[in-house]
Amino acid sequence: MKTEKNKKKPKIIPRKTPMPEQDPSQRKDNFEEVALGYSLEMALQEAERCLQCKDPKCVDGCPVNVPIPQFIKAIHDGDIQKAIELIQDKNLLPAVCGRVCPQEDQCEKNCLLGKKHEPVSIGRLERFAADWQGTACQLTTPELPSSTGKRVAIVGSGPAGLTCAYDLAKLGHEVTIYEALHEAGGVLFYGIPEFRLPKDIVTCEIALLRRMGVEIVTNAVIGKLISLDELMQDFDACFIATGAGVPTFPGIEGEHLNGIYSANEFLTRTNLMRAYNSPEFDTPVITGKRVAVIGGGNVALDSVRVALRLGAEKAMILYRRSETEMPAREEEIDHARQEGVRFEFLINPVRLIGSNGWVEKIECIRMELGECDESGRKSVCEIAGTQFQIPVDVVIMALGTEANQLLLKSSGDIALNKRGYIVIDEATGRTSRKWVYAGGDIVTGSATVISAMGAGRTAAKAIHNDLLEFMKE
Amino acid sequence: MAKILEKRLIREPDVFYYRLEAPLISRKAKPGQFVIIRLHENGERIPLSLADINPEEGTISLIVMAVGKTTTEMSMMKQGNEILDLCGPLGQPTHIHTVGKVVLVGGGFGVAPLYPIAHAFKDAGNDVVIIMGARSKDLLIYENEFNRVCDRVIITTDDGSRGIKGFVTEALQKELEKGGVDLVLSVGPAIMMQNVSQTTEPFDVKTIVSLNPIMVDGTGMCGGCRVLIGGETRFACVDGPEFDGHQVDWDNLMNRQKKYVNHEKLSFERWKQKHTNMLCE
């Protein structure tokens, strides 16, 4: 490292360079992006904060091992093109990851600077580099080796499938992705709202894959249109990345009333089908003045903020534990609060009450926290006799998902765990069936975009190695 | 993309027959399954039952009544046009087996999906009877087709203009009283399927109904099509669409079907407005 060439560093700025954001009073009424991105000046200032550690711990925290100090150095030197090339070598979706990765739990958590001050804002710098040329549509297509003649099928076009496809294509394999919906991108498209991840970015990053020769077949439900056995006749290997699956309902009285959504449905209607633009777009969504979202994860936060933008005057999060236990990212909680979302902690719904078939009230009970269980999570129990009712027009259940058995039902020879998720060898993504690999939420249950990408990368590496081994034999 | 190979008016003024190019789907589709279509970039996803499956020529057929915006837009498409998205086959196929005597019950243009089902039950060696009803004789479709595959075709009309005067349930009641009915399968409006189920219940005859709740993805991902079957939540798109008619919570289904009535009306009105303006220009 040529640090000796740098001038003597000024005193370290203890705090991250703030991210410019759309004003909360404005953004709560639109679907435009909340965080606006660093200017070159801001990025240079933030890059300056990086200590350029010899043994960078941040990289260990990144599931796809982006060379973090190196790309920050490139930004610092003003060579943004080099920065994006360094990131892109490890990460197909830098514009996505720079926006939705929980950096505070990964790279930034390990940042040495963070021991004393705020860590370097690696995520914001990644986003800056990714957005520098405009969009991923302008990214150069990586050079590809000559074809190995080996064909790999990927089931699902979410972050795990896309990453696996990218890595395999770069190694010269022929890749076909099958997507059940009419649009590729999986959760990046149907799940994460426009104001957190503009769909144009996803579309551009996928276009890059197409330019690399990856074929993407939409409207193809594997297990229905084509069975896994048939896929295995046409391809040398298959990677299953079908995602999180079926939504959970609490199983309480009244949950079938109109006005009650799963977060999956509410978000799919607004994001994928663009119901926020109804009637310009044909798919409708029920909007309400009073919206309650049940749950405390990122999906709950996305739902409540969408509801707000659809015109809710009172948008609430109802969570059964306290704020400390909320799984959602702190940044998202802050954003939601600034926009006027109300948080009600330590309450749980017990019943939904309606009239004429529509939900009108939600009956809740107060909860209290107990001791930590084996997983380290605090137990929670109801306080008898504390029921009360909240008037509502729309209720959204963001209680997580279970494994979708659609594909797995028709391919009985793949070992599943007792929750119905695919059992894999973690180091390779191999399933119990030869030449079939899996990764992402269909293995782990609901997790993050970046961990799914990490799984896609792991499987791609193993598929490549296994194919090479096989070709030698 | 799926090309419309053939389109014709099958019943005045608004019921159309579409034959679509779908080589992969036709190879896999079974009676009782459905597809989801989206007409254009701004379109919604709507589920449609299969009215015919022809793997040899690589086509599927749909019979659709133009009732709202999407189905009306579809009715304005021409032979040779392409439907932007066609996804399927979805849902569980009808459980075709040899039971003895099968009575199929359908109404109006909704009898179409019973055609491949009738065919399959007949091929499995069953005695197949269809009861098809309509308000009046002009609203009946597919009579000749059913005559070809069924052992008996019973027609009812509300006004008596053709066949027996009365509802399908009255004809069904008579069949059940004669005895020997092993299975009843009904496809059509929820209210008709509910009445059919109530008619068969005292006779303790197994009754399968094909539920048609509102759907989005059709793969079990959203839960919008959830129905109550014997008190349990099930997803019609992946667990169904066929369920035991005696176990269905019909009030719940019919309430949920009305969820977007106002939205749909508004959207259709706006579209008609725009369309009339366009035509006048």
Side-chain angles (χ1 to χ4, degrees):
Chain A
M1 237 159 275
K2 297 181 241 166
T3 36
E4 67 280 2
K5 264 178 84 180
N6 292 347
K7 283 176 255 167
K8 193 167 165 40
K9 286 197 176 182
K11 201 168 178 293
I12 288 165
I13 303 167
R15 302 185 74 82
K16 290 179 175 179
T17 310
M19 180 68 134
E21 282 167 1
Q22 218 197 128
D23 187 73
S25 62
Q26 239 171 36
R27 73 184 191 229
K28 70 173 181 45
D29 297 322
N30 68 50
F31 277 82
E32 312 279 310
E33 212 175 352
V34 169
L36 302 172
Y38 277 168
S39 64
L40 176 61
E41 212 178 6
M42 292 170 187
L44 291 173
Q45 180 187 316
E46 189 61 21
E48 179 79 39
R49 297 180 67 231
C50 178
L51 299 173
Q52 290 294 319
C53 304
K54 290 245 153 47
D55 176 21
K57 298 286 178 234
C58 50
V59 180
D60 299 340
C62 174
V64 297
N65 303 116
V66 166
I68 294 164
Q70 289 83 346
F71 95 72
I72 294 181
K73 174 79 169 41
I75 292 179
H76 183 259
D77 295 346
D79 191 352
I80 319 295
Q81 179 61 33
K82 186 178 165 196
I84 189 59
E85 279 166 13
L86 283 165
I87 300 172
Q88 213 198 341
D89 185 50
K90 292 284 181 190
N91 181 354
L92 161 71
L93 308 168
V96 173
C97 290
R99 286 169 169 82
V100 304
C101 261
Q103 292 100 6
E104 64 278 10
D105 290 328
Q106 297 177 332
C107 50
E108 293 179 19
K109 192 182 181 180
N110 293 355
C111 175
L112 195 61
L113 190 62
K115 300 261 185 269
K116 232 173 133 184
H117 307 295
E118 281 189 359
V120 175
S121 187
I122 302 166
R124 292 170 186 173
L125 288 174
E126 181 181 32
R127 170 179 165 169
F128 168 77
D131 290 355
W132 179 244
Q133 289 179 311
T135 64
C137 286
Q138 277 96 44
L139 285 182
T140 39
T141 315
E143 265 180 52
L144 302 176
S146 57
S147 172
T148 59
K150 292 291 169 193
R151 307 185 69 226
V152 183
I154 293 178
V155 187
S157 66
L162 293 177
T163 306
C164 189
Y166 177 75
D167 284 4
L168 289 169
K170 268 207 318 193
L171 293 164
H173 303 294
E174 284 175 35
V175 182
T176 303
I177 304 181
Y178 293 94
E179 166 57 46
L181 292 170
H182 57 263
E183 200 84 62
V187 71
L188 305 175
F189 222 99
Y190 73 75
I192 303 176
E194 182 77 17
F195 57 82
R196 218 150 65 76
L197 179 63
K199 298 305 153 230
D200 285 350
I201 290 175
V202 183
T203 312
C204 281
E205 301 206 338
I206 288 166
L208 177 68
L209 270 186
R210 287 204 168 98
R211 290 206 303 274
M212 288 167 67
V214 171
E215 193 187 348
I216 302 179
V217 185
T218 53
N219 295 316
V221 183
I222 303 303
K224 289 282 180 193
L225 184 67
I226 305 168
S227 71
L228 187 63
D229 286 343
E230 287 168 313
L231 270 192
M232 293 312 291
Q233 284 166 21
D234 285 350
F235 292 89
D236 299 293
C238 173
F239 177 58
I240 301 176
T242 49
V246 298
T248 312
F249 290 92
I252 57 176
E253 187 186 325
E255 70 186 27
H256 282 253
L257 286 163
N258 286 343
I260 300 169
Y261 284 114
S262 73
N264 269 9
E265 180 181 3
F266 184 71
L267 292 174
T268 301
R269 283 180 178 273
T270 42
N271 301 337
L272 174 73
M273 306 309 296
R274 303 180 198 224
Y276 62 85
N277 223 338
S278 158
E280 240 11 86
F281 281 73
D282 291 341
T283 304
V285 67
I286 305 291
T287 55
K289 295 285 169 224
R290 298 160 304 185
V291 179
V293 178
I294 320 292
N298 287 317
V299 174
L301 268 293
D302 282 345
S303 304
V304 81
R305 293 173 72 198
V306 166
L308 201 67
R309 283 159 175 78
L310 289 173
E313 282 162 11
K314 193 175 172 192
M316 300 164 270
I317 286 275
L318 312 184
Y319 182 50
R320 63 192 190 132
R321 291 185 165 91
S322 76
E323 181 163 1
T324 344
E325 285 80 28
M326 270 184 101
R329 293 184 69 189
E330 233 174 87
E331 184 181 296
E332 303 305 324
I333 300 173
D334 290 346
H335 279 154
R337 240 194 210 115
Q338 293 161 6
E339 289 163 11
V341 169
R342 300 182 196 199
F343 290 81
E344 304 284 345
F345 296 109
L346 291 165
I347 62 173
N348 207 27
V350 287
R351 178 161 78 107
L352 294 146
I353 305 155
S355 75
N356 295 321
W358 287 84
V359 67
E360 282 192 336
K361 276 181 261 177
I362 175 164
E363 187 171 297
C364 295
I365 190 161
R366 301 217 177 266
M367 311 291 282
E368 62 185 346
L369 291 172
E371 296 298 308
C372 291
D373 61 14
E374 297 112 34
S375 68
R377 231 174 157 201
K378 276 187 177 149
S379 69
V380 62
C381 61
E382 295 180 349
I383 308 172
T386 59
Q387 284 93 331
F388 64 103
Q389 295 178 349
I390 306 172
V392 288
D393 304 306
V394 172
V395 177
I396 299 159
M397 306 289 180
L399 302 168
T401 53
E402 289 166 7
N404 191 334
Q405 298 296 321
L406 193 85
L407 163 64
L408 306 175
K409 253 185 202 164
S410 70
S411 37
D413 52 349
I414 289 181
L416 308 176
N417 68 17
K418 57 176 187 282
R419 288 165 62 218
Y421 293 106
I422 300 178
V423 179
I424 58 159
D425 168 43
E426 273 189 35
T428 59
R430 288 186 197 127
T431 68
S432 60
R433 179 167 172 171
K434 199 161 166 52
W435 298 113
V436 178
Y437 304 72
D441 284 4
I442 192 60
V443 169
T444 57
S446 301
T448 60
V449 168
I450 190 73
S451 63
M453 291 176 64
R457 161 135 316 149
T458 304
K461 209 166 148 190
I463 292 169
H464 178 65
N465 289 339
D466 291 351
L467 286 172
L468 286 189
E469 202 61 35
F470 182 73
M471 281 151 80
K472 267 190 239 157
E473 276 167 21
Chain B
M1 292 271 208
K3 193 186 247 182
I4 301 174
L5 297 175
E6 183 189 351
K7 178 208 161 194
R8 58 188 156 87
L9 184 69
I10 195 167
R11 190 186 86 185
E12 288 286 354
D14 51 15
V15 179
F16 293 88
Y17 169 92
Y18 304 86
R19 193 159 52 86
L20 308 179
E21 190 174 55
L24 276 180
I25 296 177
S26 69
R27 201 167 53 99
K28 275 300 168 69
K30 296 271 181 300
Q33 290 190 297
F34 63 95
V35 291
I36 283 183
I37 63 153
R38 191 176 73 124
L39 294 180
H40 49 73
E41 282 299 338
N42 291 15
E44 59 181 340
R45 295 169 63 95
I46 60 164
L48 296 168
S49 300
L50 292 169
D52 206 358
I53 307 156
N54 194 332
E56 286 82 33
E57 62 167 35
T59 64
I60 56 165
S61 303
L62 306 170
I63 289 181
V64 186
M65 179 152 89
V67 279
K69 176 173 183 281
T70 301
T71 48
T72 304
E73 279 183 299
M74 188 174 177
S75 74
M76 294 172 71
M77 292 179 82
K78 294 180 178 67
Q79 195 167 310
N81 286 170
E82 284 184 328
I83 289 173
L84 181 60
D85 293 296
L86 172 66
C87 180
L90 297 168
Q92 301 300 323
T94 306
H95 176 49
I96 303 291
H97 53 312
T98 314
V99 275
K101 183 173 172 184
V102 180
V103 177
L104 307 175
V105 188
F109 83 99
V111 298
L114 284 170
Y115 177 65
I117 295 172
H119 223 296
F121 271 116
K122 189 64 214 163
D123 288 348
N126 294 286
D127 182 14
V128 181
V129 177
I130 183 163
I131 302 172
M132 47 195 283
R135 283 199 310 282
S136 163
K137 70 173 196 302
D138 298 332
L139 300 176
L140 290 162
I141 63 162
Y142 259 44
E143 194 185 333
N144 292 335
E145 282 82 352
F146 283 114
N147 265 321
R148 278 202 298 272
V149 296
C150 296
D151 294 283
R152 218 149 32 100
V153 176
I154 301 169
I155 288 168
T156 69
T157 48
D158 299 3
D159 63 1
S161 54
R162 182 101 167 72
I164 304 163
K165 183 174 174 355
F167 298 124
V168 283
T169 41
E170 294 165 49
L172 176 62
Q173 174 85 20
K174 282 195 186 118
E175 277 306 300
L176 291 162
E177 279 165 1
K178 277 197 267 172
V181 178
D182 298 293
L183 177 72
V184 170
L185 191 149
S186 180
V187 180
I191 187 73
M192 186 199 81
M193 293 190 287
Q194 180 184 24
N195 289 333
V196 165
S197 302
Q198 280 168 358
T199 307
T200 58
E201 199 154 17
F203 294 90
D204 201 21
V205 172
K206 186 166 181 185
T207 303
I208 303 293
V209 291
S210 180
L211 302 188
N212 46 358
I214 295 162
M215 288 184 188
V216 185
D217 63 289
T219 62
M221 187 262 275
C222 87
C225 67
R226 61 192 188 274
V227 289
L228 271 173
I229 309 296
E232 299 272 316
T233 295
R234 308 288 295 276
F235 291 178
C237 69
V238 286
D239 301 324
E242 294 182 357
F243 293 101
D244 179 346
H246 300 147
Q247 299 287 317
V248 175
D249 183 332
W250 294 101
D251 291 344
N252 173 62
L253 174 72
M254 285 185 258
N255 179 54
R256 289 183 62 82
Q257 285 177 332
K258 287 187 299 210
K259 199 168 176 181
Y260 298 104
V261 165
N262 292 333
H263 290 84
E264 281 157 9
K265 226 181 260 167
L266 179 75
S267 163
F268 195 25
E269 286 308 319
R270 263 183 55 118
W271 180 83
K272 278 194 279 196
Q273 192 79 37
K274 206 167 141 191
H275 221 81
T276 335
N277 291 346
M278 263 163 57
L279 290 175
C280 292
E281 269 163 21

